Amino acid sequence: MATLKELSKVQERFVGGHRLCAGCGHGISVRMILNAVEDANVVVGCATGCLEVASTIYPYTAWNCSFIHNAFENAGATISGVEAAYRALKKRGRIDRDFKIIAFGGDGGTYDIGLQSLSGAMERGHNIVYVCLNNEAYMNTGIQRSSATPVGADTTTSPAGKVIPGKQQPRKDLTAIMAAHNIPYAAQTAIHSWQDVHKKAKKAVEVEGPAFINVLSPCPRGWRYNTEDIVEITRLAVETRFWPLFEVENGKWKLNYKPKKYVPVEEFLKPQGRFRHLFKPGNEHVIKAIQEEIDRRWLALLERCGETPELPPR
């Protein structure tokens, strides 16, 4: 495990000068992931979205490595082709250097539009890493809901008002879906813990075969929090069990962090404008339903990880 001092000396592959918003999780996530790659060249594939738009404004780029911009829906197919070409060229002696092939996509391009492409890449067993930068909505196109958007969130296509109190459907559990592809490595992490992100990124790039990492990457415009609170927001997501930290290695589930006490989900919801309407009279049942769903999923996760299924002490 590298120290922060050691990581500060790593050659940056994602550099300054991009146009990502203040308080955005994407730049932090990408730097953390890429800094885990040590003695290898990197090819990055990037689905259309906030990261691509903000980092490649012609004629400038924030990428200090090979970079491929592909469509919203085909990041998985693009890097599959890159990996297949790399293997073929290396076998023929046309390439004598080692490359790590990594894709980044938002939740819209991963959970929804690009799911078939990603699923195919995982099933075929390409030696790639796919990272979902999960900000829980289509932020780049106007804050529309995705299947990663949580219940009760106010988005432009699930607007909170007199008809509905925000999004009605629960989130898709994409990390579990990826693990169900029987890939060597799948993990869920969050940027408040650089150690957790680094360990999981290192495992993902070093494993033989496909790997998937789901990073909670808050968006200040869509979530509507104070930009300086980004790290605290992700910490609360983990402490309230809204976003558990776990990994699945060769089919074995492992919980990486267990909160010491029961922190109600309200603590995570309150600082965010997208949930402000839930604290108005008449919407108490939505918060209650969110908490019940979190508790249910937590108990199921503990059971999968071989631990006693019980809630944290109150």
Side-chain angles (χ1 to χ4, degrees):
M1 176 68 186
T3 64
L4 279 176
K5 186 175 181 180
E6 290 169 338
L7 289 175
S8 70
K9 299 176 182 178
V10 173
Q11 182 181 4
E12 295 284 355
R13 295 180 175 91
F14 186 72
V15 299
H18 56 74
R19 273 73 158 180
L20 289 167
C21 299
C24 169
H26 284 10
I28 302 170
S29 303
V30 172
R31 287 185 65 203
M32 285 181 172
I33 296 291
L34 294 180
N35 282 349
V37 182
E38 295 180 351
D39 301 321
N41 298 281
V42 175
V43 176
V44 168
C46 189
T48 296
C50 290
L51 178 63
E52 173 270 321
V53 169
S55 65
T56 58
I57 299 175
Y58 183 82
Y60 307 106
T61 179
W63 298 94
N64 194 22
C65 61
S66 298
F67 178 86
I68 304 172
H69 167 219
N70 49 258
F72 219 151
E73 71 277 5
N74 66 342
T78 299
I79 60 169
S80 294
V82 172
E83 189 269 348
Y86 167 63
R87 280 190 292 109
L89 291 170
K90 196 165 187 181
K91 186 176 181 180
R92 295 172 188 169
R94 300 274 297 277
I95 294 178
D96 60 2
R97 293 178 293 166
D98 292 329
F99 280 84
K100 297 297 181 180
I101 300 161
I102 303 173
F104 293 98
D107 54 283
T110 306
Y111 277 64
D112 298 343
I113 295 175
L115 181 58
Q116 48 78 27
S117 177
L118 172 60
S119 178
M122 297 292 110
E123 187 273 333
R124 289 189 299 270
H126 292 281
N127 192 15
I128 58 177
V129 179
Y130 190 104
V131 181
C132 178
L133 301 172
N134 188 356
N135 55 24
E136 300 187 330
Y138 290 83
M139 301 305 185
N140 180 54
T141 56
I143 316 177
Q144 295 89 357
R145 55 89 86 199
S146 75
S147 60
T149 306
V151 168
D154 176 36
T155 74
T156 55
T157 50
S158 61
K162 294 180 180 179
V163 179
I164 58 170
K167 184 172 178 263
Q168 300 292 284
Q169 302 80 9
R171 295 172 291 161
K172 185 188 292 180
D173 189 350
L174 186 61
T175 311
I177 293 171
M178 290 297 104
H181 283 69
N182 297 310
I183 60 177
Y185 191 72
Q188 199 160 279
T189 187
I191 59 174
H192 77 288
S193 175
W194 68 266
Q195 298 98 328
D196 190 74
V197 177
H198 184 80
K199 285 179 183 177
K200 289 171 178 174
K202 192 169 176 58
K203 284 184 180 181
V205 298
E206 291 180 353
V207 75
E208 283 296 320
F212 174 81
I213 300 178
N214 203 349
V215 186
L216 188 65
S217 185
C219 170
R221 293 198 68 245
W223 293 23
R224 306 201 292 278
Y225 56 83
N226 293 325
T227 57
E228 65 270 21
D229 294 337
I230 179 174
V231 174
E232 178 64 9
I233 289 287
T234 58
R235 188 190 70 80
L236 287 170
V238 173
E239 291 295 335
T240 58
R241 297 167 292 115
F242 174 88
W243 189 257
L245 305 182
F246 65 90
E247 59 189 343
V248 186
E249 293 187 74
N250 296 309
K252 185 175 181 181
W253 289 65
K254 179 183 178 182
L255 187 67
N256 303 119
Y257 177 76
K258 188 183 291 187
K260 292 181 174 60
K261 63 179 182 178
Y262 190 103
V263 181
V265 72
E266 286 98 322
E267 298 304 309
F268 171 67
L269 304 179
K270 281 178 184 176
Q272 303 177 57
R274 62 176 176 160
F275 295 116
R276 188 170 297 138
H277 59 283
L278 297 182
F279 294 91
K280 294 180 180 179
N283 286 330
E284 296 85 356
H285 67 286
V286 182
I287 296 178
K288 182 174 182 290
I290 293 170
Q291 186 67 72
E292 289 173 350
E293 178 68 8
I294 286 173
D295 290 348
R296 184 191 67 78
R297 290 194 182 199
W298 175 254
L299 295 175
L301 175 61
L302 287 173
E303 203 162 355
R304 271 178 160 172
C305 294
E307 302 202 20
T308 304
E310 58 185 10
L311 298 175
R314 295 178 185 266

